[in-house]
């Protein structure tokens, strides 16, 4: 793909980002967009998925114009592309699952009383999960039950056989189909290990089998690692409820110490939020000449603390460098995933300190303050002290905080949605299902995923969301796509004005915006649960009958491959804006974009234009409605 140098306006629809991009250019700071344009032509083999470096005979690549072209071992394009896809799906599963494992481990130690700073917050959810796990709770204390729930969750990762417990949440029909297809995962870690084994030199060369196993490891993410991350985070920190906050770079403060938390895990960031109100910290911040400490988030760490504490969001993935360019950030604290290695060099142009905290993701040229759960609060305070101490180094001449900040109501867990429809005593998905049946709500679509320099930032995600609600489609957002909607003002009651009359009526009755923020990317598991609830409340008998779809028009991460995969395995249409790196393998491509529909009921479709993507989705939903007879 060749790229002409672009203007900041053509790179994003977000005013705050545009301003900071211009500031970066004038201050000679290079951002992801500049580096993307500097590449000029991206590797044509890589983009098609027809290169391989899985052994030292290679690297090998396939001549796309020669059908007989092979790697040295004899691997063809289909083998190479499908192996690459499976490795990526396993990597995505690993990222969500390692995050989930850490949450489970923290819950275990907290319930054992070994972590003074953490305690079980949501006992209702704890009891519900204990029941699901078949744990006998009679006569046991909350902490004793917490230990058993955490141990059971941990065993879901570590076991090699037996199947994942949360799969029992699904209607029998889908499970039976998956059994027939051989894609029911056993344990989370074993699926990742087997996927890496399968993709070794001299292993499977059947692209169909390799692709189906990429679905299998992705299911281990959706119904395993990611779902455990979501449920156990709820137990530890509370199940989200509707909460007000603000979003975009304008949430940074002129006169406070600004600390950004960036990455994915809530374990440390929740402590930083708490410690920022500590008397000692507040006094130190005032002594340093500021009005206090202002915490805001980037990426999914932001979503986690927004959903539970109402902490403002500074921006999504492509705004991480731009946040530093404001010149007003004293510290950016990073944990794991989606952290650009460029941050220290951007920070070097300002006074910002980049602080890495995870032993799994050390960042070169950053300050490393290792996060240990046993002294979480202390670590949080140490980090805040570094930030406060750095306030004096802020160069007023370099500070320019964009004015853009938008209101948002977030915090829509599956439980909240159910509660909002019926109150404490009649919490239920019945009203939603009834309104889908009577046509007031045409369908439900999840818009998820990242931002990507290949497409204009936020444009496709925001436009698709607007188009869908106009057509009475209820939209559920997660990840960076949710932050995009929020920045565009779509997550406030006023957004109701943009919705079609049927959807508006329902949203007004329930009291929610037509586009819901459902959380971080691991929280896509909440969408799986919501779809399951719809079936349980009488909408069809299996997921592929539902008037639903998924969309990830600006995706970039391997985690998004995994998420897309598990929705396709579930039976959903998933529209992506950037094609998978498999286009050099025509048979695999046909399987993923066409034939898989006859196998799981779901499929991928590539459509970067949000208006056409909307049309595609509406037609798909219309066909599903017709089949359901509604
Ligand atoms: Ni999801 Fe969250 Fe954003 Fe993409 Fe990265 S932050 S886990 S991967 S970029 S949505
Ligand atoms: Fe080449 Fe085969 Fe080795 Fe891959 S596994 S690098 S295709 S020889």
């Amino acid at each position: 793909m060749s790229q002409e140098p672009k203007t900041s306006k053509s790179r994003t629809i977000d005013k705050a980002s545009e301003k900071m991009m211009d500031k970066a250019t004038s201050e000679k700071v290079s951002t992801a967009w500049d580096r993307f344009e500097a590449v000029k032509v991206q590797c044509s083999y890589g983009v098609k998925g027809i290169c391989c470096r899985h052994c030292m005979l290679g690297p090998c690549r396939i001549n796309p114009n020669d059908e007989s072209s092979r790697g040295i071992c004899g691997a063809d394009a289909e083998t190479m592309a499908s192996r690459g896809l499976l490795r990526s799906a396993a990597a995505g599963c690993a990222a969500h699952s390692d995050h989930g494992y850490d949450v489970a481990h923290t819950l275990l130690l907290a319930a054992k009383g070994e972590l003074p700073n953490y305690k079980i917050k949501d006992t209702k959810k704890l009891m519900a999960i204990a029941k699901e796990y078949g744990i006998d709770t009679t006569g046991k204390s909350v902490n004793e039950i917490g230990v058993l729930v955490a141990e059971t969750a941990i065993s879901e990762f570590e076991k090699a056989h037996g199947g994942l417990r949360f799969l029992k949440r699904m209607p029998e029909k889908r499970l039976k189909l998956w059994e027939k297809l051989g894609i029911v995962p056993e344990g989370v870690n074993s699926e990742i290990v087997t996927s890496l084994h399968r993709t070794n030199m001299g292993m499977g060369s059947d692209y169909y089998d390799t692709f189906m196993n990429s679905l299998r490891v992705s299911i281990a993410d959706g119904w395993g690692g990611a779902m455990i991350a979501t449920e156990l985070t709820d137990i530890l920190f509370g199940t989200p409820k509707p909460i007000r906050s603000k979003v975009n770079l304008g949430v940074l403060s002129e006169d406070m110490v600004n600390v950004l938390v960036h990455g994915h895990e809530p374990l440390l960031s929740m402590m930083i939020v708490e410690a920022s109100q500590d008397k000692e910290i507040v006094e130190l911040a005032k002594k340093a000449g500021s009005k206090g400490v202002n915490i805001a988030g980037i990426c999914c760490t932001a979503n986690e603390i927004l959903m539970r504490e109402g902490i403002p969001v500074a921006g999504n993935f492509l705004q991480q460098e731009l946040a530093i360019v404001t010149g007003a950030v004293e510290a950016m604290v990073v944990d794991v995933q989606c952290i650009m290695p460029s941050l220290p060099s951007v920070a070097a142009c300002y006074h910002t300190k980049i602080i890495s905290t995870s032993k799994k993701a050390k960042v070169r040229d950053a300050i490393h303050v290792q996060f240990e759960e046993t002294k979480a609060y202390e670590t949080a305070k140490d980090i805040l002290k570094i930030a406060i101490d750095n306030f004096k180094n802020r160069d007023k001449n370099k500070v320019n905080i964009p004015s853009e900040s938008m209101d948002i109501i977030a915090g829509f867990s599956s439980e909240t949605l159910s509660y909002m429809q019926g109150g404490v005593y009649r919490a239920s998905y019945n009203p939603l299902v009834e309104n889908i049946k009577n046509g007031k709500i045409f369908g439900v679509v999840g818009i998820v995923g990242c931002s990507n320099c290949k497409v204009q930032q936020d444009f496709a995600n925001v436009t698709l969301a607007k188009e869908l609600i106009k057509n009475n489609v209820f939209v559920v957002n997660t990840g960076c796509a949710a932050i995009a909607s929020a920045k565009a003002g779509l997550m406030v009651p006023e957004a109701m004005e943009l919705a079609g009359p049927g959807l508006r009526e329902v949203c007004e009755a329930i009291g929610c915006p037509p586009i819901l923020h459902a959380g971080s990317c691991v929280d896509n598991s909440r969408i799986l649960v919501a779809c399951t609830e719809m079936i349980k409340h009488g909408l069809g008998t299996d997921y592929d009958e539902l008037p639903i779809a998924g969309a990830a028009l600006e995706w970039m991460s391997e985690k998004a491959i995994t998420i897309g995969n598990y929705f396709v395995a579930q039976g959903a249409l998933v529209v992506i804006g950037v094609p998978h790196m498999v286009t050099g393998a025509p048979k695999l491509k046909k399987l993923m974009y066409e034939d898989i529909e006859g196998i799981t009921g779901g499929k991928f479709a590539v459509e970067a234009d949000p208006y056409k993507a909307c049309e595609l989705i509406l037609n798909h939903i219309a066909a599903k409605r017709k089949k359901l007879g509604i």
Side-chain angles (χ1 to χ4, degrees), residues 89 92-93 96 218 221-222 226 448-449 478 520-525 527-528 552 557-569 574 604:
C93 176
H96 286 157
S218 302
D221 178 10
V448 309
T478 58
S520 64
C521 291
V522 291
D523 292 336
N524 283 317
S525 62
I527 303 180
L528 291 177
S557 165
E558 285 176 314
K559 290 173 281 177
I561 291 194
T562 319
I563 294 163
N565 261 3
Y566 68 66
F567 277 106
V568 166
V574 175
F604 287 105

Side-chain angles (χ1 to χ4, degrees), residues 96 263-264 299-300 317 337-338 449-451 479-481 521 556-557 559:
H96 286 157
H264 284 76
C299 284
C300 282
F317 174 68
Q337 301 167 25
C338 299
C450 325
S451 13
C480 288
C521 291
M556 65 85 199
S557 165
K559 290 173 281 177

Side-chain angles (χ1 to χ4, degrees), residues 17 41 85-86 89 105 154-155 221 230 254 272 275 457 477 542 610:
S17 295
V41 180
L85 187 84
L86 174 51
H105 189 248
I154 286 170
S155 76
D221 178 10
T230 296
E254 288 275 357
I272 291 183
Q457 186 198 12
N477 257 172
D542 195 356

Side-chain angles (χ1 to χ4, degrees), residues 243-247 306 313 406-410 482 486 491-492 517:
I243 191 161
R244 263 186 185 279
S245 190
K246 289 207 176 279
V247 56
L306 162 75
V313 177
M406 185 54 80
D407 289 323
I408 172 181
I409 300 176
M491 289 175 161
V492 285
H517 193 317

Side-chain angles (χ1 to χ4, degrees), residues 109-368:
L109 298 186
K112 280 185 174 171
E114 290 174 24
L115 304 179
N117 306 131
Y118 300 94
K119 57 176 193 299
I120 292 168
K121 198 160 174 193
D122 191 340
T123 48
K124 196 172 162 203
K125 183 145 236 181
L126 175 76
M127 297 308 281
I129 302 291
K131 193 171 167 208
E132 254 193 285
Y133 278 174
I135 292 166
D136 179 9
T137 55
T138 38
K140 294 192 177 80
S141 71
V142 164
N143 277 340
E144 282 165 346
I145 298 166
V147 169
L148 293 171
V149 164
E151 281 174 348
T152 311
I154 286 170
S155 76
E156 295 284 274
F157 293 95
E158 292 172 348
K159 69 185 173 188
H161 301 288
L164 298 170
R165 285 176 168 79
F166 284 145
L167 287 173
K168 294 201 194 93
R169 291 177 165 186
M170 277 201 306
E172 190 68 357
K173 202 168 162 189
R174 180 65 25 179
L175 201 54
K176 284 251 156 64
L177 173 69
W178 284 357
E179 271 163 12
K180 207 175 98 203
L181 295 171
I183 55 171
V184 179
E186 298 285 350
V188 178
N189 295 2
S190 65
E191 291 301 332
I192 299 165
V193 171
T194 306
S195 300
L196 294 181
H197 183 192
R198 280 179 190 283
T199 49
N200 260 248
M201 191 274 170
M203 287 296 289
S205 57
D206 176 343
Y207 72 92
Y208 172 85
D209 188 63
T210 307
F211 175 66
M212 293 309 280
N213 277 288
S214 82
L215 296 186
R216 180 168 158 148
V217 74
S218 302
I219 295 167
D221 178 10
W223 293 91
M227 200 170 275
I228 291 171
T230 296
E231 300 290 32
L232 271 55
T233 304
D234 283 354
I235 291 174
L236 261 181
F237 298 117
T239 302
K241 296 184 187 75
I243 191 161
R244 263 186 185 279
S245 190
K246 289 207 176 279
V247 56
N248 216 343
L249 293 171
V251 305
L252 293 171
S253 167
E254 288 275 357
D255 42 24
M256 291 173 91
V257 175
N258 289 309
V259 177
L260 292 179
V261 284
H262 169 28
H264 284 76
E265 294 181 354
L267 299 174
L268 173 62
S269 48
M270 289 293 277
M271 285 299 129
I272 291 183
V273 169
E274 207 180 309
S276 69
Q277 281 130 38
D278 188 294
K279 229 174 128 205
E280 185 197 349
I281 293 294
V282 175
E283 269 166 25
L284 277 175
K286 287 191 176 150
K287 236 190 187 158
S290 79
K291 286 198 174 153
V293 178
N294 178 40
I295 311 284
I298 302 260
C299 284
C300 282
T301 291
N303 288 326
E304 296 281 357
I305 56 177
L306 162 75
M307 294 283 281
R308 296 188 179 84
E309 298 291 328
I311 299 300
V313 177
N316 50 5
F317 174 68
L318 282 175
Q319 283 178 289
Q320 57 186 287
E321 295 174 306
L322 302 179
I324 299 171
V325 173
T326 62
V329 176
E330 275 57 55
M332 182 181 274
V333 187
V334 301
D335 51 44
V336 292
Q337 301 167 25
C338 299
I339 298 149
M340 290 191 193
S342 64
L343 294 181
S345 57
V346 176
C349 304
Y350 304 92
H351 73 303
T352 308
K353 303 254 188 244
I354 305 293
I355 304 174
S356 60
T357 58
S358 167
K359 53 182 170 237
K360 294 171 194 166
K362 287 204 176 163
V363 177
R364 202 175 70 196
D365 298 330
I367 301 170
H368 189 74

Side-chain angles (χ1 to χ4, degrees), residues 52-60 71-75 80 83 201-202:
C52 176
R53 44 189 284 275
H54 291 197
C55 88
M56 293 307 288
L57 291 172
C60 301
I72 295 166
C73 65
M80 284 187 195
R83 278 201 304 217
M201 191 274 170

